[in-house]
Amino acid sequence: MAKLTVKKLESLTPADIGKRLPDEHSLYGVIKARGDGVAVMFRWRYRFDGKLRDYTCGTWPTKSLREIRDAHENARQLLAQGKDPNQDKRIGRLDEKAAQAEAVAHAHSRIADAEAQQARITVTDLFERWAAVELIRRKDGGKEIRRMFQKDVLPTLGPLAVEDVRKGHITAVTDALLARGVTRMAKLIFSLIRQMFRYAVDRDIIENEPTAAIRKSRIGGKPTERDRVLSEDEIRALHRQTPSAQLLQTTEAALWLALATGCRIGELLRAEWQHVRLDAREWFIPADNSKNGKPHTIYLSDFALRHFAALHSINGESQWCFPNRDDSAHVCVKTVTKQLGDRQRGDAAPMSHRSPHTNALALPGGKWTPHDLRRTAATLMTALGVLPEVAEKCLNHTEESRVKRTYQRHSYDAEKREAWRLLGERLELLTRGDDNIVTFKRRSKSAESLTA
């Protein structure tokens, strides 16, 4: 019997539907309709246990003629071994289904394991997710908070599963900070930990956040408001002491500019020369650099202008008023605070790679910070007759009254310009080396309470 050829199969037309095509060794094909053409289903007739049976070897052109003949030959070999090819096929199908079921079960198991692993993410994993969603929006992209967590939080909490964290784990972190004497840092880090775990609750990572049972007031006691204001005698003393403190010239300029403008030290250290117009006697603080997110213009007194000009003579070629070492960005906003703090450590031994002049800037009223200069500037303004609401505007404070914020839109530009002028003139007198100056007495406690 002549063997079928591919050419013969390809020549078939719908007119051939229903015909039977014989091939060798009892293999035959039945022509069937398929779409707009034809298909040929091949079967092999064999006898097993005294009965005739048909074994399906495949359908052309879904399978090639070679594949169909190979299936036919495999079936013939099974029969030669005394096996029923159809029974073997059924067993193969069952084995395949069993394998598929096993694969599905394995996949489900892997999914369940992944879900369980997801449910038991570590605190370090949680921090990274929180940082990517929330901290990235902060002005520094969350760098400072990351530094704090890597130093004081993640070494203790990081390896723990989020759902396993308890109140005691968190107080272990804050207690270690309190033992170091950094109470404000302990409170700040506790607040940040609470924010992170509330994020976890919002994302259904955990049901209850572990800081809920901890009152913030229990972390180092109730916070005390700083009211440190440098007296005029201390400002004179500061002017006399700064030369021996061996500060960087830029740090010394930052000190006097913070006092002359009432700005936040971070706003000053982020300043760019494009925002300082010496000819117009203005320094513009863009919203991105402002703590409350509101732009602010400072009108420069002669005193402030002189220190900005001195700073420009040092760093005028840079984009930044206070560039870092490689001029790729501004300096760290903590650099001035650290330099001033190092020079008020009293008789403490100098720290490694820090200033040996540990008492150079100590003042009678106790330790002071750059932020205290801001409070001092506002206090001096009110002592010079500046209205408290004008002093508040000079500090770029947000008006607490919603009604005033909504309806009182007066800019106070003229009043602020005059306030800075009066402050600058007073600082000129206090720093010119003449001790024959009448010292103002503090007018009221309200003036001292002007804070950021």
Side-chain angles (χ1 to χ4, degrees), residues 190-423:
F190 174 75
S191 295
L192 292 169
I193 291 174
R194 172 167 281 175
Q195 290 175 40
M196 180 179 69
F197 279 106
R198 284 179 175 172
Y199 166 86
V201 172
D202 290 342
R203 297 303 189 278
D204 280 337
I205 297 172
I206 52 176
E207 291 186 6
N208 301 298
E209 62 102 351
T211 72
I214 307 174
R215 283 163 43 188
K216 189 176 180 181
S217 60
R218 293 292 180 90
I219 308 297
K222 292 184 178 180
T224 56
E225 246 184 51
R226 280 187 65 84
D227 60 358
R228 179 73 167 98
V229 174
L230 275 63
S231 68
E232 293 195 337
D233 286 339
E234 287 183 311
I235 294 173
R236 290 195 194 95
L238 187 60
H239 182 256
R240 291 193 300 269
Q241 292 169 213
T242 46
S244 62
Q246 296 192 18
L247 291 167
L248 295 174
Q249 288 180 283
T250 52
T251 301
E252 193 168 340
L255 186 160
W256 295 113
L257 283 170
L259 185 56
T261 62
C263 69
R264 298 177 179 89
I265 193 63
E267 295 169 344
L268 180 59
L269 297 184
R270 292 186 182 96
E272 300 180 43
W273 286 116
Q274 64 172 323
H275 297 136
V276 180
R277 299 174 55 202
L278 297 178
D279 55 342
R281 306 171 67 94
E282 292 180 359
W283 168 30
F284 174 69
I285 301 175
D288 287 344
N289 288 356
S290 173
K291 181 180 178 181
N292 62 8
K294 294 183 179 180
H296 184 46
T297 298
I298 292 177
Y299 303 111
L300 303 176
S301 64
D302 290 342
F303 183 87
L305 188 66
R306 175 159 53 84
H307 285 287
F308 256 127
L311 184 64
H312 190 269
S313 68
I314 300 170
N315 293 331
E317 297 300 318
S318 173
Q319 170 187 350
W320 313 93
C321 298
F322 296 88
N324 62 10
R325 289 185 178 180
D326 61 6
D327 199 25
S328 61
H330 58 75
V331 295
C332 172
V333 293
K334 293 183 178 290
T335 184
V336 169
T337 302
K338 288 181 179 179
Q339 290 182 53
L340 299 181
D342 283 347
R343 289 159 175 80
Q344 300 177 68
R345 299 178 62 241
D347 296 328
M351 299 173 67
S352 177
H353 305 297
R354 305 281 273 270
S355 172
H357 306 284
T358 57
N359 210 34
L361 296 180
L363 296 173
K367 289 186 178 180
W368 56 277
T369 68
H371 199 75
D372 295 330
L373 300 178
R374 174 173 164 84
R375 189 181 296 105
T376 300
T379 303
L380 281 174
M381 283 182 177
T382 56
L384 292 164
V386 174
L387 293 174
E389 56 263 36
V390 176
E392 291 279 348
K393 292 290 184 181
C394 289
L395 297 182
N396 195 25
H397 276 171
T398 299
E399 172 58 57
E400 293 184 2
S401 170
R402 182 178 179 183
V403 174
K404 288 184 178 180
R405 288 200 308 269
T406 304
Y407 294 104
Q408 295 187 14
R409 299 292 181 162
H410 180 49
S411 67
Y412 287 92
D413 285 345
E415 293 89 340
K416 289 190 293 183
R417 191 186 301 273
E418 177 65 9
W420 275 308
R421 183 189 69 79
L422 291 171
L423 174 61

